[in-house]
């Protein structure tokens, strides 16, 4: 079904098609070409302390990150439970086990306290986790200061899944630049897109070199094909990089516009009782990729699902928050630390349409429909 108002729709200018044409004309369509280098350089320059390798998805970036940190058969990796399945699936690709950790209420991301409990518990059981995957959900930075303190205390590297948080900042620095490795996604519905794609970022130049090598089938620099390691076909194509570069040039604009969308929702809904927002704290600056709300049914008289259906009938797409991975059938067997925070957020939450192209009138209409639902209840 085509929505009148989709959840998150990409926005293109003239540059995307211009760069794409240049890429095609250059004859370099695959994993060699000027746009790949330009995209990486532009990204690295923006991040300042970190270098980037562009890949064919955020999921492959996570997979490579785990490979680079030496995760293998039988290992354990701690992962935020409240996230998309792609945060944890690569752990399973490698024959390792994800250990899920609950969220805290302020940012909706991994709880530093429960993270430390989980680490201590696994160590007591004789197995020190090989890595910690934290996520910046819907663009909202996780509590990176506490998380990095724990990472240093126990000497366990952090992988930041910043798939949804390109352009978000924590204490003035970009999300993705705190952990040993960070990853971004440029999938079609993310804040900027290359059609499909991702990036692995790190402050460690050796890891960056190794990523380039592993993502292109681990080919030795010889006149014939010789392989000393198992590699992957994970590099971004020059065509995708052409689109990605054009989008990256407008990242600030995209972030600002999504932040406006979030501000306007908050203003329009300020007087609606029982509806709260995922909000920044003093150290975080979310890109507000998706504006997300919680509905307290006892106050509103209606559930998140009732609102979803009501808006759907009007051609407006919304989405539940991610269903916590410890509640997913595929991860029933995986250990979980925590209580019911992420479960409760999931049961109350809804992501609202948040495209850059959303107009004020669109938002007034959406909020008007929500208000009507209140009147029915009252
Ligand atoms: C989108 C997403 C990914 C995966 O990125 P792809 O580019 O789609 O492979 C990973 N983690 C999170 C949290 C995501 O939202």
């Amino acid at each position: 079904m085509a929505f009148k108002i989709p959840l998150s729709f990409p926005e293109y200018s003239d540059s995307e098609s211009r760069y794409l044409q240049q890429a095609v004309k250059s004859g370099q369509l695959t994993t060699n070409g000027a746009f790949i280098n330009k995209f990486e350089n532009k990204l690295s320059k923006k991040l300042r302390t970190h270098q980037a390798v562009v890949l064919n998805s955020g999921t492959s970036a996570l997979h490579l990150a785990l490979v680079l940190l030496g995760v293998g058969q039988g290992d354990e990796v701690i992962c935020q439970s409240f996230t998309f399945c792609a945060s944890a699936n690569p752990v399973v690709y490698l024959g390792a086990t994800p250990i899920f950790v609950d969220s805290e209420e302020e940012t909706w991301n991994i709880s530093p306290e429960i993270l430390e409990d989980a680490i201590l518990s696994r160590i007591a059981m004789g197995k020190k986790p090989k890595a910690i995957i934290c996520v910046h959900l819907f663009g909202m930075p996780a509590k990176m200061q506490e998380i990095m303190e724990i990472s240093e205390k126990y000497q366990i590297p952090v992988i930041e899944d910043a798939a949804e948080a390109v352009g978000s900042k924590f204490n003035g620095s970009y999300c993705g630049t705190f952990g040993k490795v960070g990853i971004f996604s440029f999938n079609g519905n993310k804040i900027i897109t290359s059609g499909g794609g991702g990036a692995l970022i790190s402050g460690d130049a050796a890891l960056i070199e190794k990523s380039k090598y592993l993502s292109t089938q681990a080919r030795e620099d010889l006149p014939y094909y010789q392989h000393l390691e198992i590699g992957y076909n994970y590099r971004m194509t020059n065509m995708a990089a052409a689109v990605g570069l054009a989008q990256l040039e407008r990242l600030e604009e995209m972030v600002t516009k999504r932040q406006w969308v979030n501000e306007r929702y908050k203003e329009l809904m300020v007087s609606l009782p029982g509806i709260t927002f995922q909000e920044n704290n003093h150290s975080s600056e979310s890109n507000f990729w998706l504006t997300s709300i919680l509905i307290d049914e006892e106050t509103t008289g209606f559930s998140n699902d009732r609102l979803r259906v009501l808006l759907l009938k009007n051609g407006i797409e919304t989405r539940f928050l991610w269903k916590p991975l410890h509640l997913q059938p595929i991860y029933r067997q995986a250990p979980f630390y925590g209580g019911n925070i992420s479960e409760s957020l999931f049961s109350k939450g809804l992501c609202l349409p948040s495209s850059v192209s959303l107009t004020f009138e669109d938002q007034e209409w959406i909020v008007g429909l929500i208000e009507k639902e209140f009147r029915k209840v009252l």
Side-chain angles (χ1 to χ4, degrees):
M1 153 176 189
F3 293 99
K4 263 184 242 155
I5 301 184
L7 184 72
S8 177
F9 200 72
E11 197 189 72
Y12 303 111
S13 62
D14 294 336
S15 319
E16 284 82 357
S17 47
R18 201 154 34 85
Y19 291 178
L20 196 50
Q21 254 180 347
Q22 284 174 25
V24 173
K25 280 195 183 138
S26 76
Q28 292 185 305
L29 303 186
T30 61
T31 57
N32 262 315
F35 284 107
I36 295 176
N37 299 333
K38 280 188 192 164
F39 192 8
E40 284 177 349
N41 290 341
K42 175 107 192 159
L43 203 50
S44 305
K45 218 169 175 181
K46 209 173 262 303
L47 300 168
R48 272 176 298 172
T49 52
H50 282 51
Q51 280 178 279
V53 179
V54 292
L55 301 166
N56 59 12
S57 75
T59 310
S60 42
L62 267 164
H63 189 189
L64 270 191
L66 292 162
V67 170
L68 292 169
L69 296 181
V71 174
Q73 192 76 35
D75 286 334
E76 292 186 348
V77 173
I78 292 189
C79 183
Q80 179 167 325
S81 178
F82 198 26
T83 182
F84 180 47
C85 67
S87 301
N89 287 350
V91 174
V92 179
Y93 301 167
L94 290 164
T97 304
I99 309 293
F100 292 116
V101 169
D102 207 356
S103 291
E104 45 81 24
E105 272 171 316
E106 196 184 54
T107 68
W108 304 5
N109 293 308
I110 195 166
S111 154
E113 273 168 43
I114 305 171
L115 169 64
E116 188 162 20
D117 290 347
I119 292 171
L120 289 170
S121 160
R122 299 324 282 183
I123 291 175
M125 289 163 81
K127 211 157 207 177
K128 186 171 152 180
K130 287 289 278 261
I132 299 162
I133 300 172
C134 66
V135 188
H136 307 294
L137 225 52
F138 310 120
M140 181 61 68
K143 296 201 158 165
M144 289 318 297
Q145 186 157 338
E146 282 103 320
I147 294 167
M148 291 315 298
E149 278 165 15
I150 293 167
S151 161
E152 273 148 40
K153 185 167 168 191
Y154 296 96
Q155 290 291 302
I156 304 173
V158 166
I159 298 173
E160 273 180 271
D161 180 347
E164 303 172 0
V166 181
S168 295
K169 288 179 181 169
F170 180 84
N171 280 344
S173 297
Y174 283 113
C175 283
T177 62
F178 293 87
K180 180 86 182 153
V181 188
I183 75 102
F184 295 142
S185 168
F186 308 121
N187 204 345
N189 63 359
K190 297 280 157 74
I191 192 148
I192 56 169
T193 181
S194 59
L200 183 150
I201 67 167
S202 180
D204 181 337
L207 282 188
I208 292 296
E209 277 318 300
K210 189 88 196 250
S211 306
K212 288 183 182 168
Y213 167 75
L214 287 177
S215 63
T216 50
Q217 307 283 26
R219 270 164 69 176
E220 294 302 308
D221 192 13
L222 289 167
Y224 48 89
Y225 284 80
Q226 171 142 304
H227 305 279
L228 304 175
E229 282 183 70
I230 297 288
Y232 303 87
N233 184 7
Y234 278 176
R235 202 76 162 109
M236 182 178 276
T237 67
N238 200 38
M239 283 201 292
V243 176
L245 176 68
Q247 291 263 295
L248 183 62
E249 288 174 351
R250 298 174 59 212
L251 176 63
E252 269 77 40
E253 182 194 335
M254 307 276 204
V255 170
T256 304
K257 285 190 172 164
R258 297 237 180 195
Q259 290 170 338
W260 283 347
V261 165
N262 179 267
E263 275 302 314
R264 290 194 305 226
Y265 272 127
K266 286 206 294 200
E267 280 163 22
L268 288 167
M269 293 206 253
V270 70
S271 61
L272 300 185
I275 294 187
T276 50
F277 286 78
Q278 186 189 33
E279 301 223 38
N280 280 323
N281 59 37
H282 58 91
S283 37
S284 61
E285 195 186 311
S286 174
N287 64 7
F288 287 112
W289 169 56
L290 293 181
T291 286
S292 307
I293 57 170
L294 298 178
I295 297 157
D296 175 22
E297 194 174 347
E298 285 195 5
T299 310
T300 60
F302 55 84
S303 67
N304 57 348
D305 195 44
R306 189 155 129 207
L307 192 56
R308 180 189 67 81
V309 173
L310 165 86
L311 294 174
L312 183 68
K313 280 186 190 145
N314 287 276
I316 298 161
E317 184 185 20
T318 60
R319 192 164 66 189
F320 282 120
L321 311 188
W322 302 118
K323 181 173 176 177
L325 295 183
H326 73 278
L327 300 175
Q328 292 285 355
I330 43 165
Y331 285 120
R332 237 188 332 246
Q333 312 290 342
F336 169 68
Y337 291 83
N340 62 358
I341 299 288
S342 57
E343 189 171 356
S344 155
L345 291 167
F346 169 66
S347 71
K348 293 181 191 164
L350 203 65
C351 300
L352 300 177
S354 305
S355 305
V356 161
S357 54
L358 202 67
T359 64
F360 188 61
E361 289 69 34
D362 292 335
Q363 290 190 272
E364 279 186 318
W365 181 45
I366 294 167
V367 175
L369 289 167
I370 300 175
E371 273 173 348
K372 256 195 226 148
E373 205 55 20
F374 269 93
R375 267 181 246 131
K376 260 189 231 165
V377 176
L378 293 173

